[in-house]
Amino acid sequence: MEFEVVIGLEVHAHLLTASKIFCGCATAFGAPPNTQVCEVCLGMPGSLPVLNRKAVEFALKMALATSCRINPTSVFARKNYFYPDLPKGYQISQYELPLAEHGLLNIRVNGATRRLGITRIHLEEDAGKLIHSETRPVSFVDFNRTGVPLIEIVSEPDMRTPEEAVEYLKGLRNILLYLEICDGNMEEGSFRCDANISLRPVGAPEFGVKVELKNMNSFRFVKAALEYEIKRQRAQLSAGREIVQETRLWDTAANQTVSMRGKEEAHDYRYFPDPDLVPVRVSDEWIEELRKTLPELPEARLARFQSEYGLPEYDAEVLTSDKALADYFEAAVRDYLEASEKERRKSQQIKPSGIPSEEALGPPAIKNVAKRISNWIMVELLRELKKEEGGIASLKVKPRQLTMLFTLVDRGAISSTVSKGVFVEMVATGKDPEAIVKAKGLVQIADTGALEAAAQEIIKANPKEAADFRAGKTKVLGFFVGQLMKRTKGQANPKLANEIFQKLLGDG
Ligand SMILES: [Zn+2]
């Protein structure tokens, strides 16, 4: 039997507010345990929560960025359960009346656009953190995270493959980063994801029994866990067994999902409106005010990269799918345009009169520069980034240094072949390209005498090819230049090498 996979995702994102959602405690990650706590977030009797306006603002921005309908009134509710990391015995969340509903997110998978529904976005507080001792049968609790503001973003069960699920998560995370309301750090738990997954026979009207997956703190694990679960459920169903509704954990060491507990139903939590908090009222004026503060979002930036820089859709998509990468690209383009204008003035000895406007340089110049930098980022830079942890943020090569490297090539100081090796060294050390070129003696050989001597030896060693050239097969020139490049480890000036061989072979 053929099965259809149905996936829905719940994302929890820490909001980058300075203080917690219902008290004034700091939210900074990594402080010594239990140093960022007070009566309110510790759930002391008699203490009262006060809602952090910034947290509501951030959540509203995300709702606007994902085209949600914002509810004029939303209500905080208590979700009751016991766990040692939850001092109040309940978590303040939103249940029947969330902040926003009915949003959407467009993703691209294999060149096609898919529109995925967002069911709701609501505000809640995070719980504390248990730290289990590895040497003794003891656990410790750190309440610093208790009360840190979260938004929970619940998707419709619209995804059909693990790839779509990962693209959805990347898309959401990217928007959060563009809005600068979450740091998106999955390892520190500020961007977390749970997945609901079920299988049903193709064409069946009803969903199958779903399993909830937890503990997937990287996109790679999300994909692996979903793939594993599809196989497991398919095997169960094919053998005529029923799927148990439960919560399963992704075990990174064993590469499989393992049963954690039977799934609770909403009524198990005895939700009721929190009597300590008034309903949240969001006026149209507030929404419009916030709408004006929204930055350029990924989809708009994608369109602009194509129109302003003339980039192909593929380039624009790769660059804008990561805010930091897009920022890097734009900084490099700006910097290179300024630097090449300075070079031009120097060579023409024109008095500097400030930085040229982009119009003055003309659109073709921008587009050429943009494509050159985009190519470099997509090939050289992303390849090196894959080897490192932490992505573009931890890259040691600043856009300014990339410009320096390009300038060295433009001046003819190094060949473009050599520049690739220099870049690898820059990524490893963070040094300026000039320092690396100097230290390694990589300056391009533009000494005619030295190159001629080498070229003559090459011609002598390859009499057949030399005869071919003289007989009119001018294509073998490339072979000779290639030999000279090999001998000089790519440092020969290619233009000069061409001229020398043409002259020497022509003479003989
Ligand atoms: Zn507190």
Side-chain angles (χ1 to χ4, degrees), residues 464-466 468-470 473-481 505:
K464 190 187 161 294
E465 284 78 4
D468 283 351
F469 181 86
R470 287 175 186 127
K473 282 191 190 164
T474 49
K475 268 188 190 163
V476 289
L477 189 66
F479 162 78
F480 283 113
V481 173
L505 290 165

PDB file of all heavy atoms in Angstrom, residues 464-466 468-470 473-481 505:
ATOM      1  N   LYS A 464      56.840  18.089 -30.699  1.00  0.00           N
ATOM      2  CA  LYS A 464      55.697  17.746 -31.535  1.00  0.00           C
ATOM      3  C   LYS A 464      54.643  18.858 -31.490  1.00  0.00           C
ATOM      4  O   LYS A 464      54.140  19.304 -32.519  1.00  0.00           O
ATOM      5  CB  LYS A 464      55.089  16.415 -31.054  1.00  0.00           C
ATOM      6  CG  LYS A 464      54.047  15.887 -32.025  1.00  0.00           C
ATOM      7  CD  LYS A 464      53.334  14.678 -31.483  1.00  0.00           C
ATOM      8  CE  LYS A 464      52.034  14.447 -32.219  1.00  0.00           C
ATOM      9  NZ  LYS A 464      51.045  15.486 -32.018  1.00  0.00           N
ATOM     10  N   GLU A 465      54.337  19.301 -30.259  1.00  0.00           N
ATOM     11  CA  GLU A 465      53.334  20.353 -30.108  1.00  0.00           C
ATOM     12  C   GLU A 465      53.798  21.650 -30.761  1.00  0.00           C
ATOM     13  O   GLU A 465      53.008  22.388 -31.340  1.00  0.00           O
ATOM     14  CB  GLU A 465      53.024  20.599 -28.622  1.00  0.00           C
ATOM     15  CG  GLU A 465      52.135  19.541 -27.987  1.00  0.00           C
ATOM     16  CD  GLU A 465      52.865  18.262 -27.627  1.00  0.00           C
ATOM     17  OE1 GLU A 465      54.105  18.203 -27.797  1.00  0.00           O
ATOM     18  OE2 GLU A 465      52.201  17.291 -27.185  1.00  0.00           O
ATOM     19  N   ALA A 466      55.114  21.909 -30.658  1.00  0.00           N
ATOM     20  CA  ALA A 466      55.653  23.129 -31.262  1.00  0.00           C
ATOM     21  C   ALA A 466      55.466  23.078 -32.782  1.00  0.00           C
ATOM     22  O   ALA A 466      55.062  24.068 -33.410  1.00  0.00           O
ATOM     23  CB  ALA A 466      57.133  23.279 -30.920  1.00  0.00           C
ATOM     24  N   ASP A 468      53.215  21.320 -34.346  1.00  0.00           N
ATOM     25  CA  ASP A 468      51.781  21.468 -34.606  1.00  0.00           C
ATOM     26  C   ASP A 468      51.383  22.937 -34.682  1.00  0.00           C
ATOM     27  O   ASP A 468      50.635  23.349 -35.556  1.00  0.00           O
ATOM     28  CB  ASP A 468      50.965  20.798 -33.477  1.00  0.00           C
ATOM     29  CG  ASP A 468      50.953  19.281 -33.620  1.00  0.00           C
ATOM     30  OD1 ASP A 468      51.419  18.787 -34.663  1.00  0.00           O
ATOM     31  OD2 ASP A 468      50.487  18.601 -32.678  1.00  0.00           O
ATOM     32  N   PHE A 469      51.905  23.701 -33.706  1.00  0.00           N
ATOM     33  CA  PHE A 469      51.547  25.126 -33.675  1.00  0.00           C
ATOM     34  C   PHE A 469      51.992  25.809 -34.965  1.00  0.00           C
ATOM     35  O   PHE A 469      51.241  26.550 -35.588  1.00  0.00           O
ATOM     36  CB  PHE A 469      52.197  25.806 -32.467  1.00  0.00           C
ATOM     37  CG  PHE A 469      51.842  27.271 -32.368  1.00  0.00           C
ATOM     38  CD1 PHE A 469      50.673  27.675 -31.728  1.00  0.00           C
ATOM     39  CD2 PHE A 469      52.675  28.251 -32.923  1.00  0.00           C
ATOM     40  CE1 PHE A 469      50.338  29.013 -31.651  1.00  0.00           C
ATOM     41  CE2 PHE A 469      52.341  29.591 -32.844  1.00  0.00           C
ATOM     42  CZ  PHE A 469      51.162  29.974 -32.197  1.00  0.00           C
ATOM     43  N   ARG A 470      53.212  25.487 -35.337  1.00  0.00           N
ATOM     44  CA  ARG A 470      53.771  26.150 -36.531  1.00  0.00           C
ATOM     45  C   ARG A 470      53.034  25.718 -37.799  1.00  0.00           C
ATOM     46  O   ARG A 470      53.000  26.438 -38.786  1.00  0.00           O
ATOM     47  CB  ARG A 470      55.266  25.854 -36.641  1.00  0.00           C
ATOM     48  CG  ARG A 470      56.021  26.650 -35.575  1.00  0.00           C
ATOM     49  CD  ARG A 470      57.497  26.341 -35.515  1.00  0.00           C
ATOM     50  NE  ARG A 470      58.082  27.035 -34.399  1.00  0.00           N
ATOM     51  CZ  ARG A 470      58.815  26.447 -33.453  1.00  0.00           C
ATOM     52  NH1 ARG A 470      59.068  25.152 -33.497  1.00  0.00           N
ATOM     53  NH2 ARG A 470      59.308  27.160 -32.471  1.00  0.00           N
ATOM     54  N   LYS A 473      48.089  24.746 -36.088  1.00  0.00           N
ATOM     55  CA  LYS A 473      47.179  24.324 -35.015  1.00  0.00           C
ATOM     56  C   LYS A 473      47.380  25.239 -33.793  1.00  0.00           C
ATOM     57  O   LYS A 473      48.047  24.871 -32.830  1.00  0.00           O
ATOM     58  CB  LYS A 473      47.457  22.873 -34.616  1.00  0.00           C
ATOM     59  CG  LYS A 473      46.883  21.860 -35.589  1.00  0.00           C
ATOM     60  CD  LYS A 473      46.954  20.474 -34.988  1.00  0.00           C
ATOM     61  CE  LYS A 473      46.630  19.415 -36.025  1.00  0.00           C
ATOM     62  NZ  LYS A 473      47.059  18.081 -35.562  1.00  0.00           N
ATOM     63  N   THR A 474      46.813  26.422 -33.878  1.00  0.00           N
ATOM     64  CA  THR A 474      47.068  27.420 -32.826  1.00  0.00           C
ATOM     65  C   THR A 474      46.459  27.032 -31.482  1.00  0.00           C
ATOM     66  O   THR A 474      46.760  27.628 -30.463  1.00  0.00           O
ATOM     67  CB  THR A 474      46.527  28.793 -33.247  1.00  0.00           C
ATOM     68  OG1 THR A 474      45.183  28.610 -33.712  1.00  0.00           O
ATOM     69  CG2 THR A 474      47.361  29.396 -34.363  1.00  0.00           C
ATOM     70  N   LYS A 475      45.586  26.002 -31.496  1.00  0.00           N
ATOM     71  CA  LYS A 475      44.960  25.588 -30.244  1.00  0.00           C
ATOM     72  C   LYS A 475      45.987  25.111 -29.214  1.00  0.00           C
ATOM     73  O   LYS A 475      45.759  25.201 -28.010  1.00  0.00           O
ATOM     74  CB  LYS A 475      43.964  24.447 -30.501  1.00  0.00           C
ATOM     75  CG  LYS A 475      42.549  24.937 -30.761  1.00  0.00           C
ATOM     76  CD  LYS A 475      41.604  23.761 -30.802  1.00  0.00           C
ATOM     77  CE  LYS A 475      40.223  24.170 -31.296  1.00  0.00           C
ATOM     78  NZ  LYS A 475      39.462  22.983 -31.711  1.00  0.00           N
ATOM     79  N   VAL A 476      47.121  24.566 -29.680  1.00  0.00           N
ATOM     80  CA  VAL A 476      48.120  24.026 -28.738  1.00  0.00           C
ATOM     81  C   VAL A 476      48.761  25.116 -27.881  1.00  0.00           C
ATOM     82  O   VAL A 476      49.465  24.821 -26.922  1.00  0.00           O
ATOM     83  CB  VAL A 476      49.237  23.209 -29.433  1.00  0.00           C
ATOM     84  CG1 VAL A 476      48.697  21.893 -29.943  1.00  0.00           C
ATOM     85  CG2 VAL A 476      49.899  24.010 -30.533  1.00  0.00           C
ATOM     86  N   LEU A 477      48.474  26.371 -28.220  1.00  0.00           N
ATOM     87  CA  LEU A 477      49.000  27.467 -27.383  1.00  0.00           C
ATOM     88  C   LEU A 477      48.537  27.294 -25.934  1.00  0.00           C
ATOM     89  O   LEU A 477      49.309  27.506 -24.999  1.00  0.00           O
ATOM     90  CB  LEU A 477      48.516  28.811 -27.943  1.00  0.00           C
ATOM     91  CG  LEU A 477      49.144  30.048 -27.319  1.00  0.00           C
ATOM     92  CD1 LEU A 477      50.635  30.122 -27.639  1.00  0.00           C
ATOM     93  CD2 LEU A 477      48.452  31.327 -27.800  1.00  0.00           C
ATOM     94  N   GLY A 478      47.290  26.876 -25.798  1.00  0.00           N
ATOM     95  CA  GLY A 478      46.733  26.655 -24.456  1.00  0.00           C
ATOM     96  C   GLY A 478      47.533  25.615 -23.692  1.00  0.00           C
ATOM     97  O   GLY A 478      47.764  25.747 -22.490  1.00  0.00           O
ATOM     98  N   PHE A 479      47.979  24.589 -24.408  1.00  0.00           N
ATOM     99  CA  PHE A 479      48.794  23.541 -23.776  1.00  0.00           C
ATOM    100  C   PHE A 479      50.095  24.139 -23.226  1.00  0.00           C
ATOM    101  O   PHE A 479      50.483  23.894 -22.082  1.00  0.00           O
ATOM    102  CB  PHE A 479      49.096  22.448 -24.811  1.00  0.00           C
ATOM    103  CG  PHE A 479      50.245  21.554 -24.447  1.00  0.00           C
ATOM    104  CD1 PHE A 479      50.079  20.523 -23.513  1.00  0.00           C
ATOM    105  CD2 PHE A 479      51.511  21.756 -25.005  1.00  0.00           C
ATOM    106  CE1 PHE A 479      51.142  19.709 -23.180  1.00  0.00           C
ATOM    107  CE2 PHE A 479      52.578  20.948 -24.650  1.00  0.00           C
ATOM    108  CZ  PHE A 479      52.396  19.921 -23.739  1.00  0.00           C
ATOM    109  N   PHE A 480      50.741  24.970 -24.046  1.00  0.00           N
ATOM    110  CA  PHE A 480      52.016  25.570 -23.612  1.00  0.00           C
ATOM    111  C   PHE A 480      51.834  26.492 -22.410  1.00  0.00           C
ATOM    112  O   PHE A 480      52.588  26.435 -21.443  1.00  0.00           O
ATOM    113  CB  PHE A 480      52.652  26.338 -24.780  1.00  0.00           C
ATOM    114  CG  PHE A 480      53.311  25.427 -25.782  1.00  0.00           C
ATOM    115  CD1 PHE A 480      52.814  25.288 -27.062  1.00  0.00           C
ATOM    116  CD2 PHE A 480      54.447  24.703 -25.415  1.00  0.00           C
ATOM    117  CE1 PHE A 480      53.419  24.429 -27.980  1.00  0.00           C
ATOM    118  CE2 PHE A 480      55.060  23.849 -26.327  1.00  0.00           C
ATOM    119  CZ  PHE A 480      54.541  23.710 -27.614  1.00  0.00           C
ATOM    120  N   VAL A 481      50.769  27.307 -22.461  1.00  0.00           N
ATOM    121  CA  VAL A 481      50.513  28.224 -21.333  1.00  0.00           C
ATOM    122  C   VAL A 481      50.235  27.402 -20.068  1.00  0.00           C
ATOM    123  O   VAL A 481      50.736  27.707 -18.985  1.00  0.00           O
ATOM    124  CB  VAL A 481      49.332  29.179 -21.646  1.00  0.00           C
ATOM    125  CG1 VAL A 481      48.965  29.999 -20.418  1.00  0.00           C
ATOM    126  CG2 VAL A 481      49.688  30.105 -22.808  1.00  0.00           C
ATOM    127  N   LEU A 505      57.217  30.819 -30.515  1.00  0.00           N
ATOM    128  CA  LEU A 505      56.818  29.813 -31.501  1.00  0.00           C
ATOM    129  C   LEU A 505      56.747  30.412 -32.904  1.00  0.00           C
ATOM    130  O   LEU A 505      57.080  29.773 -33.891  1.00  0.00           O
ATOM    131  CB  LEU A 505      55.468  29.199 -31.116  1.00  0.00           C
ATOM    132  CG  LEU A 505      55.499  28.297 -29.891  1.00  0.00           C
ATOM    133  CD1 LEU A 505      54.087  28.041 -29.365  1.00  0.00           C
ATOM    134  CD2 LEU A 505      56.167  26.961 -30.199  1.00  0.00           C
TER     135      LEU A 505
END
